Structures are given as C-alpha cells and as structure tokens.
C-alpha cells in the first residue's frame, strides 16, 4: 500500500550551512553530530533543506581546520548529506533572480533547488516522489 504523507518527521537547524553539528529543538539548544544523523538515513528517507544558500564564500568553501584537525568545508558536508540522502531537495525562500551568487550556485549544483513558492513546493514534491538518482 502507498502511504500518503510522512510516516515520521524530524527537523534540524543549522546556520548558513551544515557542518559537524545540527541543532534540535528551538533556539539551537540541543545539538547532535551530523554524522549520527546521516548514519540514520536510508533509501526511503526524503530530506528537505530550507535556506537562502547565500553566505560569505569562505563559509562554504573553506575547511574549518587547525593543526591536528582536518574539518571538511561546508560544501564537502553538503555533498556528504546529498550522498546519504539522494532523495533530497533545497527550498530557497529568495526569488530566483537573486540566485546568481557563488554559494547559491554551488549549493544548487549539489541539490536540486526550488523556490519556496507554491509552484516550487509542487516541483520539489514531484522530485521527492520520483525514485532517487544515485
């Protein structure tokens, strides 16, 4: 039988980009390791990221590293997220005319990106209902 709707729903928050931690609850109080969240994804999971994708380029492209620690860049984290959840989309609340920005374009190359409008939501849901392309 085909389910209409979500069997479960879980939300996480991040500021600008996904890095090593995601936040649960209201106001970034409870944090959970991104790797732990990604490990819980399976082929039937669908992921919707919401954000304008616009940030200082160093926030997306530069690794946060110091001697003895090699932390992936934001774009590397997003590629990990996409790999763990191929059934994923990015909803952007900014009008498409503002998407010509280096970080928006880079994130749009990782995730199918849709406007956060009624038509954008319809298109994103169609994409999520289709079998994921791995």
């Amino acid at each position: 039988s085909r389910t209409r709707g979500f069997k479960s729903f879980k939300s996480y928050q991040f500021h600008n980009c996904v890095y090593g931690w995601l936040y649960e609850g209201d106001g970034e109080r409870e944090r959970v390791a991104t790797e732990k969240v990604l490990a819980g994804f399976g082929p039937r999971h669908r992921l919707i990221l919401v954000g304008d994708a616009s940030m200082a380029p160093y926030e997306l492209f530069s690794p946060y590293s110091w001697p003895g620690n090699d932390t992936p860049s934001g774009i590397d984290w997003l590629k990990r997220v996409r790999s763990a959840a191929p059934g994923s989309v990015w909803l952007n609340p900014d009008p498409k005319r503002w998407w010509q920005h280096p970080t928006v374009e880079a994130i749009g190359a990782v995730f199918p990106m849709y406007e956060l409008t009624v038509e954008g939501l319809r298109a994103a849901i169609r994409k999520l209902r289709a079998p994921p392309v791995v």
Side-chain angles (χ1 to χ4, degrees), residues 6-89:
F6 297 109
K7 286 189 177 184
S8 65
F9 176 83
K10 183 74 176 172
S11 68
Y12 297 95
Q13 301 165 28
F14 57 89
H15 177 71
N16 279 344
C17 191
V18 173
Y19 300 109
W21 298 99
L22 296 168
Y23 299 93
E24 296 180 292
D26 188 23
E28 299 181 359
R29 284 184 232 139
E30 303 291 327
R31 70 182 196 166
V32 60
T34 302
E35 289 291 349
K36 181 178 177 182
V37 174
L38 297 181
F41 287 161
R44 296 181 53 91
H45 283 91
R46 297 296 181 260
L47 177 66
I48 301 171
L49 295 102
V50 180
D52 63 14
S54 181
M55 64 197 84
Y58 77 86
E59 291 182 83
L60 186 62
F61 300 118
S62 297
Y64 288 91
S65 61
W66 55 88
N69 180 36
D70 288 326
T71 302
S73 67
I75 196 71
D76 291 332
W77 274 112
L78 291 176
K79 288 175 182 177
R80 284 183 184 184
V81 170
R82 177 73 172 157
S83 178
S88 56
V89 296

Side-chain angles (χ1 to χ4, degrees), residues 119 121-130:
E119 187 50 45
L121 285 168
R122 286 183 180 134
I125 295 302
R126 280 192 301 272
K127 178 70 173 174
L128 291 173
R129 285 185 171 163

